[in-house]
Amino acid sequence: MSTGSGAASAPAPEPHDTLSALDTPARKNSMFSSLRIRNYRLFFLGQVVSNTGTWMQRIAQDWLVLTLTGSSAAVGITTALQFLPMLLFGLYGGVLVDRLRKRPTLLVTQTAMALTSLALAALTLTGQVQVWHIYVAAFALGLATVVDNPARQSFVTELVGPGQLQNAVSLNSANFQSARLVGPAVAGLLITGVGTGWAFLLNGLSFIAPLAGLLLMRSRELHTVERAPRGKGQLREGLRYVTGRPELIWPIVLVGFIGTFAFNFPVYLSAFADDVFHGGAGVYSMFNTLMAVGSVSGALLAARRGTARLRLLIVAALAFGGLEILAAASPELWMFALIMVPLGLVSMTVNVTTNTSLQMSTDPAMRGRVMALYMMVFLGGSPVGAPIVGWVTDTYGARVGFAAGGAVAVAAATVIGLILARAGGLRLSVGWHGGHPRVRFVPREHQETLAPAV
């Protein structure tokens, strides 16, 4: 429910619209239209700095674990510990976010994340770091993320209102992935030049920028959203809300499979850099940078789109899995590196399309819980998937592990696409058009009309 301008949410689509559209209404925007809003501009600029630091730490953390242990499974355990809190407590974080004011909440969570990075920097720079220190830091960062992630996701609506939501979500993704162009490159230079500890230190200091941006925002210009009152059963209420809507539950299930088995890039790419192509931190950073080039392109393309289609989500998920399988079979370094660009593009399309469609189809009072469930499934699947894919990668090789992740993505997209088509009253139509075969989904009534009389 809304108590102020901009808090309204797009109505959830009727069941027959589930796949053929979820063409969530959105205003035609220029690519950077939401940056005209001062509060969002402050938020965006703060995230530019912080996201760069985050990517520096990700690369440094993965490489430090691999250096200390020589094990891809250990990298997977680190990733798992970082996302385990989201799996365990993600829904409770969403309930808290729906009750709390978003800006003060973000000030607390961003400060906690900064302190975690600074503590890890101190241990590494003094030569005292051990792998269990990294495990503890990853888990602590995950605890802060339980609240920080849904708070940041839902705060975007308060910054820009529904008319600019698609554009702002896409620019946030472009922001994060643009930092991926700079962060890994800087991390590679720091690791080879002065050591991983400096990457952790710079990441801790980078949180000054988003904290300053939050403090400088004008409260009167925020789009007020009514907070959920304290009450019993709010967790169950959120789950019932999602499971009763095919346009919410099935995209979440899809990204759950993809996030658990196919998005474990720290495991896959570090193994390819080290074991398959026998490179170093520079090659690993290059893979991440090339993926970021594609991801930025995907996010900017999404910023120009006026709709968030579930049809596009299914196609992008199929392409994502197919590209992972193709990359796994690539015999040469240059070929593998080249595939990272379109892989980044379609992965970002999956991310942005899911995020936007969920936010715009959810009542504002439920948005924290819905986004927490989405992030819990998407990121929280890593504690389950990362050790598994790490073990598969160590036992059967990086190529088998990467291909298996892609196969899971293809299978999940195929099955869920058919489920959504059935829920939307659609059927598969195979025919000829202009002398060429054409396969598409059509309304059942339309297909029955075209069927020959018996």
Side-chain angles (χ1 to χ4, degrees):
M1 304 298 290
S2 170
T3 58
S5 66
S9 175
E14 294 299 322
H16 65 271
D17 292 331
T18 301
L19 184 65
S20 62
L22 197 49
D23 292 344
T24 313
R27 185 185 307 166
K28 291 287 184 180
N29 296 317
S30 67
M31 187 173 288
F32 303 103
S33 57
S34 54
L35 288 175
R36 300 189 189 106
I37 301 169
R38 179 182 181 275
N39 281 346
Y40 179 72
R41 194 161 59 247
L42 288 169
F43 178 82
F44 184 90
L45 292 174
Q47 291 300 307
V48 167
V49 179
S50 181
N51 286 337
T52 301
T54 296
W55 276 111
M56 289 169 55
Q57 173 148 331
R58 282 192 179 188
I59 302 300
Q61 176 180 280
D62 297 339
W63 200 255
L64 180 58
V65 170
L66 195 63
T67 301
L68 291 173
T69 66
S71 169
S72 293
V75 178
I77 290 171
T78 307
T79 303
L81 287 171
Q82 186 164 328
F83 297 120
L84 180 62
M86 182 66 73
L87 179 63
L88 297 177
F89 312 117
L91 289 176
Y92 296 98
V95 171
L96 283 175
V97 167
D98 279 337
R99 293 175 181 174
L100 298 173
R101 293 166 57 205
K102 307 300 186 294
R103 185 160 58 142
T105 300
L106 288 171
L107 286 169
V108 173
T109 57
Q110 295 279 295
T111 300
M113 294 164 82
L115 293 175
T116 301
S117 298
L118 293 173
L120 188 57
L123 287 168
T124 307
L125 290 172
T126 57
Q128 302 300 313
V129 70
Q130 299 178 35
V131 69
W132 72 266
H133 293 143
I134 305 172
Y135 289 165
V136 171
F139 187 77
L141 187 64
L143 286 174
T145 304
V146 166
V147 177
D148 183 82
N149 221 315
R152 277 190 297 108
Q153 299 283 343
S154 11
F155 189 48
V156 174
T157 307
E158 297 187 26
L159 291 170
V160 301
Q164 296 283 355
L165 183 59
Q166 162 88 7
N167 183 262
V169 169
S170 301
L171 288 182
N172 281 351
S173 299
N175 183 331
F176 186 69
Q177 298 302 328
S178 297
R180 192 175 180 178
L181 293 171
V182 179
V186 175
L189 292 174
L190 289 172
I191 292 169
T192 56
V194 293
T196 54
W198 289 98
F200 300 142
L201 177 62
L202 291 178
N203 179 48
L205 295 176
S206 73
F207 283 95
I208 295 173
L211 289 171
L214 289 166
L215 292 171
L216 290 171
M217 288 178 186
R218 296 170 182 160
S219 299
R220 66 181 181 275
E221 295 178 9
L222 294 174
H223 294 253
T224 305
V225 173
E226 181 180 353
R227 285 178 283 154
R230 295 180 64 88
K232 294 183 178 179
Q234 290 179 320
L235 187 58
R236 292 191 300 273
E237 180 188 12
L239 291 173
R240 284 196 301 269
Y241 180 84
V242 172
T243 55
R245 290 165 171 77
E247 73 279 0
L248 297 181
I249 184 61
W250 289 114
I252 290 175
V253 171
L254 175 59
V255 299
F257 276 103
I258 292 175
T260 301
F261 299 105
F263 258 76
N264 288 285
F265 294 116
V267 178
Y268 296 136
L269 299 187
S270 62
F272 265 87
D274 193 43
D275 300 331
V276 177
F277 298 119
H278 308 292
V283 173
Y284 180 45
S285 296
M286 179 188 68
F287 290 158
N288 282 277
T289 300
L290 289 170
M291 276 199 72
V293 171
S295 297
V296 171
S297 301
L300 292 177
L301 287 173
R304 293 187 63 87
R305 284 196 298 267
T307 57
R309 299 172 183 266
L310 286 186
R311 191 183 327 176
L312 176 62
L313 172 61
I314 298 301
V315 171
L318 287 169
F320 175 76
L323 284 169
E324 284 202 342
I325 295 171
L326 183 62
S330 299
E332 301 292 339
L333 171 62
W334 68 266
M335 189 180 299
F336 183 89
L338 191 63
I339 294 173
M340 292 299 101
V341 177
L343 185 63
L345 190 151
V346 294
S347 70
M348 183 51 53
T349 303
V350 170
N351 193 343
V352 172
T353 304
T354 307
N355 190 315
T356 307
S357 64
L358 291 178
Q359 289 210 51
M360 298 191 72
S361 300
T362 302
D363 188 280
M366 302 292 295
R367 191 167 283 134
R369 277 164 282 184
V370 172
M371 297 311 295
L373 178 61
Y374 162 59
M375 298 310 299
M376 183 192 79
V377 171
F378 185 43
L379 299 179
S382 291
V384 178
I388 294 173
V389 302
W391 175 81
V392 171
T393 299
D394 279 342
T395 305
Y396 299 102
R399 295 188 185 279
V400 173
F402 208 13
V408 169
V410 169
T414 301
V415 172
I416 291 172
L418 292 172
I419 291 172
L420 286 170
R422 184 174 181 82
L426 303 176
R427 289 182 179 179
L428 188 67
S429 172
V430 181
W432 289 86
H433 180 74
H436 301 284
R438 180 169 67 175
V439 180
R440 58 176 181 153
F441 285 104
V442 298
R444 289 175 185 168
E445 297 80 2
H446 180 60
Q447 190 178 45
E448 288 167 0
T449 302
L450 295 178
V454 178

